[in-house]
Amino acid sequence: LAQAALARDLVAQAPHLASAASKAMRISVRNLSGREVASVEAERSWTKAEVCAQILDIPGPLVALPRLLTVAGAELNGSATLADIGLSDGDVLQLLLEQRPALLTASADGTAALWCTSSGKLIRSFAGHSGQVSSATFSPDGARILTGSYDRTAKVWCAHTGQCLRTLEGHSEAILSVDISADGTRMLTGARDGIAGVWCASTGEYLSTLRGPAIAIFSPASPDGRRVLAGTTEGGILSMDADSGEILQASRCMYGQVVPVAASPDGARVIGGVYQDMLMWRVETGKVLRRCWPGSWVESVAFSPDGTRALCGCADNVAVLWSTECTGECQAYRREADVCLCPELLKLQGHRGSVDSVAFSADGRQLFTGSQDGTAKMWAAETGDCLLTFEGHTAAVMSVRCAPGKSVDEAAEEAAGR
């Protein structure tokens, strides 16, 4: 009888207990220094996923593994709830963001994607464009992502949540390139019709029009985004004032269109693909300094972080790494008398389609390629070995970009030390 009475009491109390377990409470989420990063009205039944959904749009590492712990050290993880770890109204959760390096890809399938370079796993996708996504890049702090599309728009996204924050409209042709200035204040879009647009990063306001560039980038020599470097469909490299559109320096290779372009870290040199050549110009004089000849149409180019190497992706499914130092072997090239030939360092072979985009890791020890075969790959820059293949896009990978911040190796060493 006593046991029956106890059972009846428990049944009677069940609704009350359930109500208490689900009752809303306010918790303070703070970082290790004690600064509050969020104050959340939460249910006691919330798990880590539900708390993270409320707090992850905050400054911090671009790709991070969030950990939430009580002051006593209990961790909110898996299916555990706030009630399970003993959290009450007014309590504090400590937020730890363990940084992971990331690769950003843009694809002809209409999406961009963020990948972990430690595991090769997809972290999140960015869907919202109605056409192929031709280009994507990070803000300097890694908190925002800018994409450009054949649908003639560019979009700004939250890197932590995948939410679209702003759409930039105004181009009349497909957008082929996007960039963000080193200080994060300006955005740049280049379109197929040879029109580039400069935008305010904080408001999305259209600031100025540049005529001539189909592929445009901000010059590293101008962190505030006041100078733009571009390749043109008429076969030249332009240095332009981003406010007035004035051409400050122009050079021509005398034939062909310069489509992919990249600048050295100091902004003094530019490399560009011209048919089956990759050429290097000095920005100040417009002189062609170096020539690399991979033997196939050059689809993409990138400078190493220290400026001593250049990488190009080619139509024959191969990427080639070059030294930018002169071999001592020079030749006449068109109207240029002394153009040094760059020595080839290694070839990256493994894609089954044209290599349409290339990039270096933050420390230059890893190389990244994106291909028409729908995959991206990570390679060891020292040996050319393929380290990871990123699979998930359903069409060509048109752009790859490594996240700012820690290098792949630094993050891996930290993870191994924990």
Side-chain angles (χ1 to χ4, degrees):
L1 292 175
Q3 289 179 342
L6 178 59
R8 287 194 299 271
D9 289 342
L10 289 175
V11 170
Q13 293 175 21
H16 172 73
L17 294 174
S19 174
S22 62
K23 185 179 178 182
M25 61 180 177
R26 181 161 294 279
I27 56 174
S28 175
V29 181
R30 304 185 183 188
N31 60 19
L32 287 180
S33 66
R35 182 177 65 86
E36 184 175 79
V37 296
S39 180
V40 179
E41 189 78 18
E43 300 290 333
R44 297 179 186 275
S45 59
W46 278 13
T47 64
K48 176 183 177 181
E50 290 162 312
V51 176
C52 284
Q54 302 295 316
I55 68 172
L56 285 188
D57 188 16
I58 56 174
L62 169 65
V63 180
L65 177 66
R67 298 181 63 194
L68 294 166
L69 301 96
T70 67
V71 175
E75 183 166 2
L76 182 64
N77 207 1
S79 60
T81 67
L82 293 174
D84 290 338
I85 63 172
L87 219 63
S88 302
D89 186 51
D91 281 352
V92 172
L93 272 177
Q94 284 189 331
L95 172 66
L96 304 180
L97 289 175
E98 299 180 351
Q99 188 167 356
R100 295 290 188 269
L103 176 69
L104 176 64
T105 57
S107 172
D109 65 10
T111 69
L114 206 55
W115 310 80
C116 177
T117 56
S118 298
S119 65
K121 293 182 179 180
L122 176 67
I123 298 167
R124 65 184 58 91
S125 293
F126 304 85
H129 283 292
S130 60
Q132 301 180 33
V133 182
S134 59
S135 185
T137 192
F138 294 101
S139 61
D141 63 0
R144 299 290 182 263
I145 286 171
L146 176 64
T147 57
S149 170
Y150 280 22
D151 67 9
R152 299 175 295 178
T153 72
K155 290 181 181 289
V156 182
W157 311 80
C158 173
H160 296 292
T161 65
Q163 178 187 1
C164 181
L165 304 176
R166 180 174 289 114
T167 298
L168 308 179
E169 298 177 296
H171 281 289
S172 59
E173 295 287 343
I175 294 177
L176 303 181
S177 66
V178 295
D179 198 13
I180 300 178
S181 61
D183 66 359
T185 61
R186 291 185 167 197
M187 300 179 291
L188 181 64
T189 53
R192 180 175 283 160
D193 59 1
I195 299 295
V198 182
W199 312 74
C200 175
S202 60
T203 66
E205 177 188 0
Y206 190 83
L207 301 177
S208 60
T209 297
L210 308 179
R211 301 188 182 277
I215 303 290
I217 58 174
F218 284 115
S219 170
S222 177
D224 59 1
R226 301 290 176 177
R227 182 169 294 192
V228 168
L229 301 171
T232 71
T233 54
E234 288 83 26
I237 291 290
L238 300 177
S239 174
M240 307 181 72
D241 184 289
D243 295 318
S244 66
E246 177 188 359
I247 297 176
L248 306 175
Q249 180 60 249
S251 61
R252 296 188 180 278
C253 59
M254 280 62 73
Y255 78 102
Q257 60 179 346
V258 182
V259 179
V261 293
S264 60
D266 60 3
R269 296 165 293 159
V270 174
I271 52 176
V274 188
Y275 295 145
Q276 294 189 13
D277 285 314
M278 182 172 69
L279 302 179
M280 182 193 304
W281 288 263
R282 185 172 295 283
V283 174
E284 185 178 2
T285 63
K287 177 179 171 56
V288 179
L289 301 175
R290 305 279 190 272
R291 180 193 182 199
C292 308
W293 190 73
S296 181
W297 194 289
V298 176
E299 302 286 353
S300 51
V301 296
F303 248 115
S304 65
D306 62 3
T308 63
R309 293 163 297 159
L311 182 63
C312 68
C314 301
D316 62 356
N317 310 346
V318 171
V320 186
L321 184 66
W322 307 84
S323 169
T324 59
E325 304 302 316
C326 184
T327 61
E329 181 183 356
C330 298
Q331 62 177 212
Y333 179 76
R334 300 289 167 170
R335 297 175 189 173
E336 301 283 358
D338 299 306
V339 177
C340 291
L341 297 179
C342 292
E344 178 184 311
L345 300 178
L346 54 83
K347 285 187 176 180
L348 309 178
Q349 298 176 308
H351 280 295
R352 300 184 306 278
S354 172
V355 180
D356 289 351
S357 186
V358 293
F360 285 84
S361 62
D363 61 359
R365 295 168 65 179
Q366 286 81 31
L367 311 173
F368 297 91
T369 54
S371 170
Q372 285 281 336
D373 65 14
T375 71
K377 291 180 181 291
M378 182 172 76
W379 314 76
E382 186 69 26
T383 64
D385 293 336
C386 182
L387 305 176
L388 275 176
T389 297
F390 305 89
E391 298 179 293
H393 282 298
T394 58
V397 175
M398 306 177 74
S399 175
V400 292
R401 188 67 63 94
C402 194
K406 295 180 181 177
S407 70
V408 174
D409 287 339
E410 285 176 331
E413 289 168 4
E414 283 192 8
R418 277 191 290 271

